[in-house]
Amino acid sequence: MYLIGYDIGSSSVKAALVDAENGNTLVRTQYPDREMDIQAVRAGWAEQRPDQWWEGIVQATQRLLKAHPIPADSVKAIGISYQMHGLVLVDAAHQVLRPSIIWCDGRAVDIGAAAFERIGQQKALSHLLNSPGNFTASKLRWVQENEPELYQRVKYFMLPGDYIALKMTGEACSTISGLSEGIFWDFLEKKPADLVFQDYNIDPALMPPLQPTFGIQGALRPEAAAELGLSAGIPVAYRAGDQPNNALSLNVLDPGEVAATGGTSGVVYAVTNQAAYDPLSRVNGFAHVNYTLDQPNVGVLMCINGAGITYSWLRQNTGASETSYPALEQLASQIPIGADGVSILPFGNGAERILSNVDLGAQIQGLNFNRHSQGHLIRAGLEGIAFAFVYGMSILQEMGLDLKVMRVGNDNLFQSRIFAETVATLCNSHIEMLDTTGAVGAAKGAGFGAGIYSSLREALGNTPKVGGYEPLPNAEAHTEAYQRWLNQLHKLYNK
């Protein structure tokens, strides 16, 4: 008896095959091997074709089944994790109408800012926990204003995971957690956000029907099963955005627990049972995977768009495209803390929420052609991403959230000792690394949703700890480098 989980990112689709009886992960894979393309038709825009994601699902599934052949009918549930805040539009025949406007697209910033003022800042924050900002609702409003003929053909607006589930099952639906990430959920009224639908003149009928985050959301239809190499009828029993799902994967379910991840974007995600919000809306609150009307657990999310994509860009554009990330880490470790005066602001992947939705652009400061090398740039890049984390985490600390212990997966940026020790040292945080991934968490979430497990704790089991990072005893060099970085940020962003 097996479970399959998918984690649909903007870089790749990751998949995991889990033995439901003992909780062991049998295979992890991804497709493609290099980052998927993001189309930027204009500066600040970011789009992907949903068929890219489906192709990734198909290829990743075939890799799973090739690596560990199993009877097609032995898979008992499928779980989906997906990149948050994207907009997918389908017509009455469930055909995609345009490329998806994904999470890091900045075209709707002004739309969200204007709605924040019209609704009233305090009212928006108390009901939505956020400004409408650059989220899914504002992206939908952009389509309404700029592509009116296409908008008239829309049957449903969807998040990326909603679309993949539709492709699998033929059933159009979403979740409360998904609505909240699109700023379509009213936390005070505990229902879809009428104040957003009314302000944006969006017909609520465009919202797909709601299903629980955990539960049977549809069954794999024969056409999809044939493409995947699986049996028809397998239940899709869980879906969630990648950051709530990452927290689930790390057993971060209860108030006071904190998860972090460092993929294309970087996130710290703290769970609370309070309707917490930042008065400046620099961090965002969303319904956690175990949110219910009676137990309204909220995940407060601090996001940095320009995280792993910064490291990837440096690798591709400093002559290191064929160099492994461990080899780059070794190269950077030979450079002293502070990269000999080089600072990198990693804000080159669209408008940043922690900077009040300003698209600052990436910056390299202090570069000396006679003294600095590739290693300096790699070190400065890793430190710059870490400094952005520290800056964002200070906002969470201002809100009273405790970040002394964070759980992370054994992947992406947290495999870099330079990056992780910089964060741990400057925030005085203990970082626990667990042997799991978002795809594994999605598989186990589906096991609970399908009734194979009696509780989430049983589903997740005792995920093994495989390492961690502690604050370094001498923080002086880190503090000095961070202060130099912060001074550069303040010169460009005077808030």
Side-chain angles (χ1 to χ4, degrees), residues 88-290:
V88 181
L89 299 174
V90 299
D91 63 16
H94 295 170
Q95 297 301 304
V96 175
L97 292 170
R98 68 174 327 282
S100 173
I101 303 174
I102 66 170
W103 57 277
C104 56
D105 185 289
R107 75 186 69 185
V109 169
D110 291 342
I111 290 173
F116 197 30
E117 296 301 320
R118 288 193 305 269
I119 294 171
Q121 294 189 10
Q122 184 57 39
K123 183 177 181 180
L125 291 172
S126 62
H127 283 260
L128 309 172
L129 307 187
N130 304 286
S131 160
N134 189 39
F135 295 107
T136 313
S138 299
K139 291 166 182 170
L140 180 58
R141 174 67 173 176
W142 182 93
V143 174
Q144 183 189 65
E145 292 180 347
N146 292 274
E147 299 174 349
E149 293 182 4
L150 182 147
Y151 184 82
Q152 291 301 316
R153 297 165 56 200
V154 174
K155 174 64 174 177
Y156 292 121
F157 66 81
M158 294 187 149
L159 297 156
D162 298 336
Y163 172 73
I164 292 299
L166 172 68
K167 186 80 172 175
M168 288 183 174
T169 68
E171 300 288 336
C173 60
S174 192
T175 64
I176 289 176
S177 180
L179 283 190
S180 77
E181 72 178 72
I183 318 301
F184 284 114
W185 184 253
D186 189 321
F187 286 88
L188 275 186
E189 300 291 337
K190 297 184 179 181
K191 66 177 186 178
D194 291 338
L195 75 171
V196 173
F197 285 106
Q198 291 169 5
D199 185 82
Y200 280 169
N201 192 29
I202 293 170
D203 185 349
L206 299 182
M207 175 182 64
L210 294 183
Q211 293 279 11
T213 296
F214 301 96
I216 307 303
Q217 301 171 353
L220 195 64
R221 59 192 180 91
E223 298 85 352
E227 286 191 74
L228 296 172
L230 299 173
S231 291
I234 299 170
V236 174
Y238 165 76
R239 85 183 73 172
D242 52 9
Q243 298 311 326
N245 177 75
N246 181 65
L248 164 79
S249 308
L250 296 166
N251 237 322
V252 171
L253 297 171
D254 295 330
E257 297 178 330
V258 182
T261 185
T264 302
S265 62
V267 166
V268 177
Y269 184 96
V271 179
T272 178
N273 56 8
Q274 306 297 316
Y277 59 84
D278 170 40
L280 300 179
S281 201
R282 297 166 297 175
V283 298
N284 307 103
F286 306 114
H288 194 27
V289 293
N290 57 353

Side-chain angles (χ1 to χ4, degrees), residues 1-4 17 65 70-78 230-231 233-235 452:
M1 182 166 60
Y2 303 97
L3 308 167
I4 291 180
L17 180 67
L65 300 179
I70 56 175
D73 60 355
S74 63
V75 176
K76 299 305 180 183
I78 291 171
L230 299 173
S231 291
I234 299 170
I452 295 170

